[in-house]
Amino acid sequence: MPFLLAMDLPIGSQVPFMSNPQLPLDPIELAVPTEVDDGNVESFDPVKRAVLLADTLPRLWCGTYRPFDGNPEVDVKLTLTSLTPMGQMVNLRGSMDLGDVATPVQGNLHAKSDQLDLIPLASPLIAGAEPGGVFLGLQAFSPSAWESPRLINTNDPGGGIGGRLALSSECAQPPLQPLW
């Protein structure tokens, strides 16, 4: 049966360390030296990226919105009129045309994760999109998903179903018509 021996030693006295033959390793060998690798330090600054995004993000986005409830797909045009960096976020303001419905929008784009929330402010919106909902994007503006403010809407049975918003900053310009 193993036993433990304890004794009082005067302060400052040194006891020589003897390795224990019962241990597979000397406890001193278990100490891991610390190594600093400068290549593993994250140097990304989301606050600076928010400022850069506010300066360089395209102001015009075009695409489509397809509700999941079977309502027809509609063309979408998003015009950003104000982009303001606020810490790691870019505050977005502008207008969005969802088919024939024009609505002011506001939202936020996170500079580090590229997560977007975009809120249409008009009432009423198009079929399948209820006021109070939000477009959520995990990859900035495309693709985004419609998240209704509630699961069931008695005024619009498809209001809680959701949909997909696909936007691109490369909006096709209509071809020029000849003057003659």
Side-chain angles (χ1 to χ4, degrees), residues 57-129:
L57 200 63
R59 301 304 198 252
L60 182 62
W61 296 80
C62 301
T64 58
Y65 173 67
R66 182 178 25 167
F68 295 147
D69 63 358
N71 280 307
E73 181 175 279
V74 295
D75 290 330
V76 176
K77 178 181 171 187
L78 172 65
T79 304
L80 300 174
T81 56
S82 170
L83 287 91
T84 308
M86 296 181 168
Q88 296 183 15
M89 306 293 281
V90 179
N91 183 278
L92 310 169
R93 305 288 172 150
S95 63
M96 178 184 273
D97 295 330
L98 290 161
D100 294 335
V101 175
T103 176
V105 293
Q106 69 181 35
N108 295 302
L109 176 63
H110 193 278
K112 185 171 183 179
S113 67
D114 282 338
Q115 291 181 349
L116 168 77
D117 60 45
L118 194 61
I119 305 167
L121 302 174
S123 178
L125 294 171
I126 62 172

Side-chain angles (χ1 to χ4, degrees), residues 10-84:
I11 295 177
S13 64
Q14 295 183 357
V15 176
F17 177 80
M18 293 190 220
S19 64
N20 185 342
Q22 296 175 347
L23 291 176
L25 294 174
D26 185 348
I28 297 298
E29 292 175 9
L30 295 177
V32 177
T34 58
E35 295 179 21
V36 176
D37 182 7
D38 292 335
N40 289 335
V41 176
E42 184 175 324
S43 61
F44 178 75
D45 186 347
V47 174
K48 286 183 183 177
R49 183 164 186 255
V51 171
L52 179 67
L53 284 171
D55 290 338
T56 61
L57 200 63
R59 301 304 198 252
L60 182 62
W61 296 80
C62 301
T64 58
Y65 173 67
R66 182 178 25 167
F68 295 147
D69 63 358
N71 280 307
E73 181 175 279
V74 295
D75 290 330
V76 176
K77 178 181 171 187
L78 172 65
T79 304
L80 300 174
T81 56
S82 170
L83 287 91
T84 308

